[in-house]
């Protein structure tokens, strides 16, 4: 039995260790995700309600997800959106739907909070099952080169990205200029 809830201060150490462990063997990782979570928690981009943990009946944290504030900017305008990064699941809980539970609960809360879209860089075979489409379909790009199929966006509400073309602007904590 897994419960998804808002992360609390007492969870931070377990989340740090879990995130490091979850990405340890990942080929396409800089293995800094656990430090990124720490930095984002202290940033203006942090939304406490969108830092979620999944725990089992023994209160062991098996997964964590973080959505933070980002902007989509062009020459004339700037639009609010969310970045989904990272999704971390302890290796022994992977491939059991836990990441999906975290993603769907995060979407539900984000929509409740009034957010209209989510942007992510992720696996092109995993995220489309949750409704994510290539950012290029929306006229959205990244401030760095990535394979087109790995940049994805989700409209949390109908037309949430309509006419919101531009480049994703990440908070400075991501280390992207």
């Amino acid at each position: 039995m897994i419960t998804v809830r808002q992360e609390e201060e007492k969870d931070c150490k377990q989340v740090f260790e879990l995130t490091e462990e979850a990405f340890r063997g990942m080929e396409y990782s800089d293995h800094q995700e656990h430090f990124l979570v720490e930095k984002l928690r202290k940033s203006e981009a942090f939304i406490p309600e969108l830092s979620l943990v999944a725990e089992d009946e023994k209160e062991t944290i098996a997964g964590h997800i973080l959505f933070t504030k980002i902007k989509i900017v062009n020459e004339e305008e700037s639009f609010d959106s969310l970045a989904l990064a990272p999704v971390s699941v302890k290796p022994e809980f992977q491939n059991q739907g836990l990441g999906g539970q975290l993603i769907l609960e995060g979407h539900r809360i984000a929509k409740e909070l009034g957010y209209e879209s989510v942007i992510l860089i992720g696996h092109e075979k995993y995220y489309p099952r949750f409704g994510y489409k290539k950012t290029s379909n929306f006229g959205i790009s990244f401030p760095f080169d990535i394979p087109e199929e790995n940049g994805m966006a989700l409209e949390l509400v109908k037309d949430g990205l309509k006419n919101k073309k531009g480049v994703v602007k990440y908070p400075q904590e991501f280390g992207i200029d």
Side-chain angles (χ1 to χ4, degrees):
M1 179 68 190
I2 295 292
T3 306
V4 176
R5 63 168 173 78
Q6 184 176 329
E7 176 190 46
E8 298 171 15
E9 198 170 316
K10 68 178 175 65
D11 303 323
C12 292
K13 184 176 186 295
Q14 265 193 85
V15 167
F16 184 86
E17 292 166 357
L18 154 79
T19 306
E20 189 279 327
E21 185 181 3
F23 285 92
R24 191 179 295 152
M26 295 279 179
E27 183 181 347
Y28 300 106
S29 167
D30 64 1
H31 307 290
Q32 297 298 306
E33 291 83 1
H34 48 303
F35 295 115
L36 175 62
V37 170
E38 295 271 299
K39 287 186 222 170
L40 287 169
R41 261 195 215 107
K42 298 173 187 154
S43 77
E44 290 181 17
F46 184 67
I47 306 161
E49 297 89 342
L50 289 173
S51 183
L52 304 174
V53 295
E55 64 183 6
D56 66 13
E57 60 281 347
K58 298 177 203 141
E59 296 186 4
T60 300
I61 295 179
H64 175 257
I65 194 169
L66 183 61
F67 295 81
T68 49
K69 297 176 200 170
I70 58 168
K71 299 268 187 201
I72 301 165
V73 297
N74 61 43
E75 293 78 25
E76 294 89 36
E77 300 173 280
S78 174
F79 309 100
D80 292 330
S81 188
L82 294 171
L84 189 176
V87 179
S88 309
V89 178
K90 278 177 99 59
E92 61 267 30
F93 289 93
Q94 290 175 4
N95 302 309
Q96 297 176 30
L98 191 67
Q101 276 184 261
L102 285 162
I103 291 166
L104 293 172
E105 182 64 2
H107 290 167
R108 186 190 68 73
I109 294 168
K111 191 174 173 180
E112 239 175 50
L113 293 173
Y115 290 95
E116 296 184 350
S117 63
V118 180
I119 307 286
L120 63 79
I121 298 168
H123 198 282
E124 70 277 6
K125 295 206 183 338
Y126 182 70
Y127 290 97
R129 70 182 77 167
F130 303 104
Y132 284 86
K133 296 175 174 60
K134 291 189 281 191
T135 52
S136 57
N137 294 352
F138 301 101
I140 296 168
S141 61
F142 293 88
F144 44 78
D145 289 333
I146 61 163
E148 182 184 6
E149 65 271 10
N150 298 123
M152 290 175 255
L154 173 74
E155 293 178 303
L156 292 168
V157 297
K158 184 174 176 8
D159 296 329
L161 287 170
K162 187 174 183 179
N163 300 319
K164 295 184 179 175
K165 298 176 181 355
V167 178
V168 176
K169 175 127 177 70
Y170 287 94
Q172 67 183 24
E173 289 77 12
F174 276 90
I176 302 161
D177 294 324

